[in-house]
Amino acid sequence: MSKFRFIALQELSSRKPLEVVAPSTNIADYYGCHVFNKKNMQKYLTDETIDALKRAVDEGKAITQQEADLIANGMKSWAKDNGVTHYTHWFQPLTDGTAEKHDSFIDFSKDGSPIEKFSGKVLVQQEPDASSFPSGGLRNTFEARGYTAWDISSPAFIVDDTLCIPTVFISYTGEALDYKTPLLKALLSVDRAATDVCKYFDKSIEKVTAHLGWEQEYFLIDSALYKARPDLCLTGRTLMGHSSAKDQQLDDHYFGSIPSRVTAFMKDLEFECYKLGIPIKTRHNEVAPNQFELAPIFEEVNLANDHNQLVMDLMKRIALKHNFNVLLHEKPFQSVNGSGKHNNWSLITDNGINLFAPGKTPNNNMLFLTFIINVLMMVYKNQDLIRASIMTATNSRRLGANEAPPAIISCFLGKSLSNMLDTLEKVGNKMTSEEKTALKLGVNRIPEILLDNTDRNRTSPFAFTGNRFEFRAMGSSANCASSMIVINAAMAHQLRSFKQNVDKMISSGIAKDDAIIKELKRLVKESESIRFEGDGYSKKWQKEAEKRHLTNINSTPQAILKYEDEQSKQVLIGENIFNEKELESRVDVELEKYTKKIQIESRVLGDLTINHIVPTAVIYQSRLLDNLVKLQQIFDAKECEQLSYKRRDLVRDIAMRIDSLKDLVADMTQERKKANNLENIRKKACAYNDKVSPFLDKIREHIDALEMEIDNEIWPLPKYRELLFTK
């Protein structure tokens, strides 16, 4: 057995749960203690200053310099009382994580004495280096200036000894270099568009807020085993590894008893989350061995997204304390379920109406139907854009497998609601009083129809689940903002189109209710092909989807390039989420990320193959050859032939695989060099997808076969049965 694998397996025997002691069994005693929320503000800010901040958040009123200074001073006092020594502008660049530059509060007075200072100017804006973050050509490497600006709608928080201030991140010339800036624009856009449509039904509605409930799936792997797998360390997934004889076939891990070490980790994580005001609600075993999930109570999208980014960072750091490593890769292990991040999305009015939940009156139910139908149309018109928002090098390996929806975007409503829409479509354009009564009665029955009648279709990318839509195609490592930007912007664009058409009919003399019904009927009919109630994994659905003219794009670069389609531009540029230059840069960033991830996987696999697997195969082959020579020395030719023919076949097979691996690695390296010489990022990404990526599976096939042939004692890397079944 290799030294590293032996040491890793030896370490497992000493693992014990780390005891976690919360300051109180009552969560309310410490919930949000590390957040500068209203409760903490009241101790450090005047009522007038709190009101000014509230107006800025609720009404978009600007904060004066004096108010900013007062807020900064109170924030610093609160932070100092909690042991904070540094502050940072916490932002979300176009990478797979967050970014922060820490500064201490130290400054000097006029007489040179050291003081601790934190001004409103520093709170509101800072200037980090923007040249080294992905920009898609928006910034040259010699143009370093960028700005972070305080996002007042997301509260400051404390991590360790640092005050973290959520911010947007923009270039010197004003273009967005992050996820938060376009997300805030998309949320404002859907607020305005949805509010305008709501006023058809309730003129008192002044605001609509998008809400998000994310479900974070992840794997926990013992740190010793993780370190013994270079592919896991460098790429986040196993580039090789034969499936374990037992993995998830018995469904015995799903919702099973949580191992004690994992429970200790979860308790520690929840404790830290509660201090940061993150409302973690659910924890459980997921389908695959060593796979788990946590989920919070729904929050406003921007805050929910900040919390998810923070949770992913906390998970990684806290796991190390428990001798675990968290895997957020969408498909870290072949042949078992990968990890997603289901985005549960809803729209809530300022008077508490969930626009995706039926109400108690026909009027509220017509409001519900209006938004449900517009969601269908939004998904139908923007299926390529929605897919583009979740297609990455990592997530593309998960889509279409047993635990994830396919790359074909469709909507699931449930038969009862679908039948209701079909009934609506049949109503005449000029309704008689009898038809109006029948429609009113049918609409009034929607809550009754939906009660326990809306199942959850796991194969549907965009499923209605009773009072929200669950977007299941999001990858576990992704920033939720990538899909939330697209979905909210596209919904805003669709609602504006709906209102324009209804207003046009009203201005021509058609009654408002009749105009709304007429437009809804048209949308139901036009979007009918996006509705699908069956098995999204079946080949039958792929053929059916093609007949319906639904796209099925499995190439990640080709999917990403759909950002630049005319429909996508109408949404993202038309809703002022991006300008032309920003959108082009986003495409380049995503293509570059794809290229680099495949490039890294290719280099890691080539190294492991030539420096670990091939030498191990040669050693075992030599043992077999030595055994054959000794057999010849003891037995006569006939007996030796009978005893050794299977061993000779094995030697021959190993030799063939060694040669094949060397050839494949050489060919892959050559294709990688060719791709690297392409200057156009679009052509380079496609070359990596078409020419380099296929080698990863071809090489793996030979290595996985060798793993089953070579003596377990000398295999250099921890195997799946060891990685997936540690407690």
Side-chain angles (χ1 to χ4, degrees), residues 51 56 77 105 110 120 182 205 222 235 258 348 368 387 390 408 424 436 467 490 568 594 643 655 705 711 723:
D51 289 342
S77 298
F105 289 119
K110 291 181 180 179
I205 294 173
D222 189 274
T235 73
I258 302 173
I348 313 292
F368 161 74
R387 184 191 300 105
I390 54 90
I408 303 168
L424 177 66
K436 288 182 179 180
N467 60 1
S568 300
Y594 171 81
L643 292 170
D711 186 351
L723 292 167

Side-chain angles (χ1 to χ4, degrees), residues 82-144:
N82 282 277
V84 167
T85 59
H86 289 67
Y87 64 89
T88 183
H89 273 200
W90 182 83
F91 58 100
Q92 300 169 32
L94 302 177
T95 60
D96 291 331
T98 57
E100 51 198 63
K101 174 176 70 75
H102 296 195
D103 289 302
S104 73
F105 289 119
I106 190 170
D107 207 333
F108 292 93
S109 62
K110 291 181 180 179
D111 64 2
S113 302
I115 58 173
E116 290 182 308
K117 185 179 179 182
F118 184 59
S119 67
K121 183 178 180 181
V122 172
L123 168 65
V124 171
Q125 181 177 304
Q126 280 197 299
E127 186 184 322
D129 184 350
S131 63
S132 297
F133 290 105
S135 70
L138 283 176
R139 307 290 292 146
N140 292 308
T141 54
F142 60 83
E143 295 174 322

Side-chain angles (χ1 to χ4, degrees), residues 3-68:
K3 182 176 73 171
F4 293 113
R5 183 174 166 218
F6 175 78
I7 293 172
L9 291 173
Q10 283 290 103
E11 280 190 31
L12 295 181
S13 61
S14 63
R15 301 299 197 216
K16 294 181 180 179
L18 180 68
E19 186 176 358
V20 179
V21 181
S24 169
T25 56
N26 186 2
I27 295 173
D29 291 342
Y30 58 92
Y31 187 83
C33 65
H34 282 182
V35 183
F36 198 53
N37 51 25
K38 187 175 181 180
K39 179 181 177 181
N40 287 321
M41 285 181 193
Q42 289 173 339
K43 300 177 184 177
Y44 294 91
L45 300 179
T46 64
D47 290 342
E48 291 79 11
T49 305
I50 294 174
D51 289 342
L53 185 56
K54 188 175 185 303
R55 285 194 299 272
V57 174
D58 295 342
E59 304 171 23
K61 298 285 181 69
I63 289 178
T64 66
Q65 183 63 54
Q66 182 182 9
E67 289 166 342

Side-chain angles (χ1 to χ4, degrees), residues 297-309:
I297 295 171
F298 286 34
E299 299 178 288
E300 181 273 327
V301 169
N302 181 44
L303 181 60
N305 189 55
D306 282 358
H307 280 169
N308 181 246
Q309 289 294 297

